[in-house]
Amino acid sequence: MSRRRLTQRQKARIQSIQQQRREKISKRVQQSLTKAGALPTQAGRVIIRHGATLGVEDSDGRIFQCLTRQNIGHPVCGDRVVWQPVDETTGVVTALLPRESVLSRPDFSGQEKPLAANISQLVVVLAPQPEPSGYLLDQYLVAAETIHVRPLIAINKIDLLSDQARAEFLERFARYGRIGYGLVVISAKQEHGLDSLIERLNGETSILVGQSGVGKSSLINALLPDHELETGRLSQATGLGRHTTSAATCYHLPQGGDLIDSPGVRSFRLSHLTLTQLEQGFIDLRPYLGHCRFSNCSHAHEPGCAIREAVSQGKLDPTRVAHFLRLAATLTRNA
């Protein structure tokens, strides 16, 4: 995806608008803190975020509509926070607790924008339609490896294919299973294969990622029979109303585990990486790293390249290596 280039005037205007918003929110936060007085702080978890509004869940499962102090960072869905109640329904987030993991992407200005925190599993959803992008899939897998969370590939809408087409489609992605990635085949519409997915989600905090149209919303509806009731409860608690459906939200699965749905992953791009991080993100390349003739081998054209030799011997998938080289070239251009 090409990066949008902003003029200096546009950047200045955006910065001015953002500064006005920050000042307005800061004033509201200060007013809320004044109302809170000496009420004790407590730990909570962000389970919904839309703009400056946070839905924070307390230890009893109650949800409070919260603002956040400007100097503590950028709390996102899944974050553990310290917050102070203002009244029976509202509060102020005063501190951000350390994160175990954070999924982020660069925004249009190139700055890192967190999407979700403290996830333990990244579920990449594919489908026969739209045509899957292996290049995008490999980016998601690299992201999972980089932030040290478990990746899982879920092939959805498999009911759309005939037996022969299904076998051919699955064979295209069988190499990921051979590499060592978890892979489940499901149909959210017919609820086929959901048991295997539910088992993988149990005990995890997962986030669904994938191209538009692969059926992530249908999958969430299948996994959450009371999805509309839960959305209504969150809407009432946070005061977001119709915006609830477009907010990053963490749902508690009835079978166990949590599932984060974030609109930010629809336009996902890899964060800033070093070449070493990119190499480590391709787990099938790891056995060959450090065995090239030259220590600074780019794996593109140098003689004595262990990775290119492995491709020629059929030990590495050439498509995966091509995706690695394409991403490496992107890193070089950005640098």
Side-chain angles (χ1 to χ4, degrees):
M1 180 183 295
S2 61
R3 181 177 297 174
R4 177 185 173 194
R5 297 187 180 275
L6 302 177
T7 66
Q8 291 299 322
R9 179 177 294 180
Q10 287 173 322
K11 290 180 180 178
R13 182 171 179 271
I14 290 172
Q15 290 174 353
S16 175
I17 293 173
Q18 290 176 339
Q19 180 60 30
Q20 291 174 14
R21 289 176 178 171
R22 284 193 291 266
E23 291 174 356
K24 184 177 180 180
I25 293 171
S26 180
K27 184 177 180 180
R28 290 169 60 194
V29 169
Q30 191 56 49
Q31 291 171 344
S32 295
L33 285 172
T34 301
K35 289 175 62 178
L39 289 175
T41 59
Q42 54 185 284
R45 186 185 185 198
V46 179
I47 65 166
I48 186 169
R49 174 170 186 132
H50 186 277
T53 302
L54 303 177
V56 176
E57 185 178 51
D58 70 3
S59 57
D60 295 323
R62 296 178 301 173
I63 301 170
F64 291 75
Q65 179 183 346
C66 293
L67 295 173
T68 179
R69 279 184 167 174
Q70 296 294 298
N71 60 345
I72 68 168
H74 185 80
V76 293
C77 200
D79 262 321
R80 292 185 289 270
V81 297
V82 175
W83 68 286
Q84 190 173 10
V86 173
D87 52 37
E88 291 299 315
T89 60
T90 64
V92 177
V93 172
T94 58
L96 183 63
L97 296 176
R99 292 164 168 164
E100 296 176 4
S101 65
V102 57
L103 180 67
S104 60
R105 67 174 175 85
D107 60 19
F108 287 123
S109 65
Q111 299 298 312
E112 289 293 299
K113 179 181 180 180
L115 301 175
N118 299 314
I119 60 174
S120 60
Q121 183 167 242
L122 187 145
V123 183
V124 187
V125 185
L126 307 177
Q129 292 295 332
E131 175 65 24
S133 167
Y135 181 62
L136 180 60
L137 169 59
D138 283 338
Q139 289 186 70
Y140 282 131
L141 296 177
V142 169
E145 297 294 338
T146 302
I147 64 175
H148 307 293
V149 303
R150 183 180 294 105
L152 176 65
I153 301 171
I155 299 180
N156 192 24
K157 297 185 179 181
I158 202 65
D159 55 289
L160 298 179
L161 300 176
S162 65
D163 290 344
Q164 180 178 348
R166 182 184 300 118
E168 293 173 354
F169 185 83
L170 293 179
E171 180 56 32
R172 289 173 54 189
F173 298 96
R175 63 174 177 264
Y176 289 96
R178 292 191 288 268
I179 290 171
Y181 287 113
L183 197 151
V184 293
V185 180
I186 56 178
S187 169
K189 185 175 181 180
Q190 297 185 354
E191 298 191 2
H192 167 77
L194 284 184
D195 288 345
S196 59
L197 177 59
I198 288 170
E199 183 179 349
R200 301 254 191 172
L201 297 176
N202 191 6
E204 306 285 350
T205 298
S206 305
I207 185 168
L208 296 182
V209 298
Q211 296 167 265
S212 248
V214 295
K216 295 190 295 292
S217 296
S218 298
L219 194 52
I220 290 173
N221 288 331
L223 294 167
L224 291 161
D226 298 326
H227 183 216
E228 290 188 8
L229 292 176
E230 179 67 8
T231 300
R233 182 178 78 93
L234 294 173
S235 173
Q236 184 176 9
T238 60
L240 288 175
R242 61 186 177 85
H243 297 296
T244 306
T245 55
S246 61
T249 307
C250 179
Y251 298 103
H252 302 313
L253 296 172
Q255 302 87 351
D258 295 324
L259 185 64
I260 293 179
D261 179 27
S262 173
V265 299
R266 295 171 191 164
S267 55
F268 181 81
R269 299 190 307 280
L270 264 181
S271 303
H272 303 295
L273 298 178
T274 65
L275 181 59
T276 299
Q277 288 175 317
L278 180 62
E279 289 175 335
Q280 292 296 325
F282 281 79
I283 61 173
D284 41 342
L285 269 58
R286 291 175 185 173
Y288 306 98
L289 297 175
H291 296 282
C292 298
R293 181 184 301 176
F294 302 105
S295 60
N296 62 344
C297 184
S298 69
H299 317 301
H301 53 76
E302 295 89 344
C305 174
I307 287 175
R308 292 171 60 212
E309 180 65 21
V311 172
S312 67
Q313 295 176 358
K315 297 178 181 179
L316 281 176
D317 183 87
T319 303
R320 285 266 296 172
V321 174
H323 291 166
F324 163 78
L325 293 174
R326 181 178 170 186
L327 286 168
T330 301
L331 291 182
T332 302
R333 286 197 301 271
N334 290 343

